[in-house]
Amino acid sequence: MDQRKRRKELSQEIRKKIIDKHVKGKGYKTISKQLDVPVTTAAHIIQKFKIHGTVANLPGRGCRRKIDDKSKRRIIRMVTKEPRKTSKEIQGELQAQGTSVSDRTIRRRLSQSGLHGRRPRRTPLLKTSHKKAKLEFAKLHVDKPQRFWENVLWTYETKIGTFLPRHISSMQMSRYIWRKRNTAFQKKNIIPTVKYGGGSVMVWDCFAASGPGRLAVIDGTMNSTVYQKILKENVRPSVRQLKLKRSWVLQQDNDPKYTSKSTSEWLKKNKMKTLEWPSQSPDLNPIEMLWHDLKKVVHARKPSNKAELQQFCKDEWAKIPPERRKRLIASYRKRLIAVIAAKGGPTSY
């Protein structure tokens, strides 16, 4: 394949000079050398002049457009209203309306309009009450000093594995959507999810800006009694290990076992102050991003059994780079600002 850089289209002035030199008896090679144009180009322009009597571009030059502006606008309206509509489905609708066009042309026109095929993002299912609580939390804490967030012990409970909601088929998950840049978290471009399902190991862990805390593997079902046992065995040792100040605060989500009467009384008895937390708000918890990183490296090690999976989790949790942890906490205010901008809706965090 010729890798030479494609030349720009010759100006009318150069074309006329080629004709002038030809009329004066100059040969193709001489014209090519004097005007620095390929011999074949000079020959083509001369032949065109002999046939048509002009060096100007002729009408109808180039490929004809396969789709008119009206149809293009109709296609954009379709995917704007229904981002999950495929190019084949659009092709069928246009065909029914008397417009014949290939699905490849449809994809190309959408791409030219800034609409590209992307997998839909999965975000928590947010009710109006969830959005309101998230927004209130963000507004209440957006002006907290950085030292406050550095003194929070962030906690998390998760399974290693994935969950696919029953009402969403694997076909839907693999299907692309049409969207523009920076619109990934708009309501029409996401798939709501709920927590857990799949996987074989449940773990609880914690961290602060100063480092990772303890990681505990949960055997059996997690209930209020098991949770209180985990807190008893791991929270204060982690606080001492991370050298948090006396005013440290425990972050936990709104799972019923965390907010049960017995757990609330246990926390009060043990003088553990908690951060009031809105439901369905993983994008407010920086530990989520650490676990996103962790799951990748654990799965890359391909554990062959439950014991290996547990050990790999503990090994990789201890290896999380200090810079990564510090950046997550240093940028926490940006999360709150993003939530406010989204009016409590999904964000990119």
Side-chain angles (χ1 to χ4, degrees):
M1 184 181 286
D2 188 0
Q3 298 296 323
R4 291 177 299 179
K5 198 171 183 179
R6 187 176 178 180
R7 289 174 174 268
K8 293 181 178 179
E9 187 177 85
L10 294 182
S11 65
Q12 291 283 343
E13 183 181 357
I14 296 296
R15 297 181 197 185
K16 288 177 180 178
K17 285 183 179 180
I18 290 173
I19 300 303
D20 289 342
K21 290 183 181 293
H22 174 68
V23 171
K24 291 176 182 179
K26 301 290 183 182
Y28 292 170
K29 290 185 178 179
T30 303
I31 295 172
S32 170
K33 187 174 181 181
Q34 290 180 353
L35 298 179
D36 189 28
V37 297
V39 175
T40 53
T41 300
H44 175 74
I45 290 172
I46 292 167
Q47 289 301 318
K48 179 180 178 180
F49 181 78
K50 288 179 179 178
I51 296 170
H52 300 286
T54 180
V55 294
N57 291 335
L58 299 175
R61 187 171 176 271
C63 296
R64 286 189 175 183
R65 293 173 61 189
K66 296 181 179 180
I67 189 168
D68 58 22
D69 289 337
K70 184 178 179 180
S71 296
K72 183 179 177 180
R73 288 193 298 270
R74 187 185 304 158
I75 291 170
I76 293 173
R77 284 197 302 270
M78 285 181 187
V79 299
T80 300
K81 185 178 180 180
E82 298 180 55
R84 291 178 177 80
K85 191 181 288 291
T86 67
S87 56
K88 286 285 187 183
E89 291 170 342
I90 296 171
Q91 182 188 31
E93 290 190 26
L94 291 176
Q95 186 75 43
Q97 296 169 5
T99 301
S100 180
V101 62
S102 71
D103 59 323
R104 183 179 177 183
T105 297
I106 291 170
R107 291 194 297 272
R108 186 168 60 249
R109 292 302 180 202
L110 287 170
S111 181
Q112 290 170 355
S113 300
L115 290 158
H116 307 285
R118 298 288 186 267
R119 291 191 186 279
R121 301 292 178 90
R122 289 187 287 177
T123 65
L125 179 61
L126 294 177
K127 298 178 181 178
T128 303
S129 58
H130 295 145
K131 294 179 182 179
K132 183 179 179 181
K134 278 182 67 178
L135 184 58
E136 288 177 355
F137 177 90
K139 288 181 176 180
L140 184 64
H141 294 87
V142 70
D143 292 322
K144 288 281 188 181
Q146 184 61 29
R147 62 180 179 274
F148 174 84
W149 302 115
E150 292 173 353
N151 210 35
V152 173
L153 184 68
W154 304 91
T155 68
Y156 191 59
E157 173 197 343
T158 189
K159 275 187 178 180
I160 300 292
T162 58
F163 175 86
L164 187 60
R166 290 179 182 174
H167 65 282
I168 297 174
S169 67
S170 58
M171 179 66 74
Q172 284 177 289
M173 284 305 303
S174 62
R175 199 179 212 184
Y176 281 70
I177 58 169
W178 297 103
R179 67 171 176 82
K180 293 190 175 184
R181 291 186 63 186
N182 302 320
T183 63
F185 291 91
Q186 289 184 3
K187 185 177 180 180
K188 61 185 179 182
N189 295 334
I190 63 175
I191 289 183
T193 64
V194 296
K195 293 175 69 175
Y196 308 140
S200 58
V201 175
M202 175 77 81
V203 297
W204 176 97
D205 53 53
C206 60
F207 97 109
S210 52
R214 291 194 173 190
L215 182 146
V217 177
I218 303 164
D219 293 321
T221 304
M222 178 78 137
N223 54 33
S224 296
T225 303
V226 175
Y227 180 59
Q228 291 162 31
K229 184 174 182 290
I230 288 174
L231 293 180
K232 181 180 179 180
E233 294 176 353
N234 296 280
V235 169
R236 292 207 181 276
S238 295
V239 169
R240 288 193 293 269
Q241 174 189 325
L242 299 172
K243 298 180 180 179
L244 299 184
K245 297 178 181 178
R246 293 182 63 183
S247 58
W248 67 273
V249 178
L250 177 69
Q251 180 278 330
Q252 59 179 12
D253 67 28
N254 272 345
D255 189 284
K257 55 184 168 283
Y258 302 159
T259 57
S260 67
K261 184 178 179 180
S262 64
T263 299
S264 299
E265 289 175 352
W266 188 93
L267 289 167
K268 186 176 180 181
K269 180 181 177 181
N270 288 272
K271 298 180 180 179
M272 291 187 185
K273 184 179 178 182
T274 58
L275 187 63
E276 190 172 343
W277 198 252
S279 299
Q280 294 288 74
S281 54
D283 51 346
L284 283 174
N285 193 346
I287 203 171
E288 291 268 355
M289 302 194 82
L290 292 184
W291 262 100
H292 176 76
D293 298 345
L294 188 73
K295 286 180 179 180
K296 280 187 177 180
V297 294
V298 169
H299 288 154
R301 293 181 66 176
K302 298 179 180 179
S304 59
N305 54 57
K306 187 174 179 179
E308 279 191 357
L309 184 56
Q310 292 178 6
Q311 190 58 50
F312 291 171
C313 285
K314 292 178 180 179
D315 293 345
E316 298 301 333
W317 181 249
K319 294 179 185 177
I320 294 173
E323 299 77 19
R324 175 69 164 149
R325 300 188 303 264
K326 291 177 181 177
R327 282 199 304 269
L328 286 172
I329 303 305
S331 62
Y332 194 74
R333 188 171 185 271
K334 291 181 180 179
R335 289 174 181 262
L336 301 176
I337 292 173
V339 169
I340 294 171
K343 297 181 180 179
T347 69
S348 60
Y349 287 95

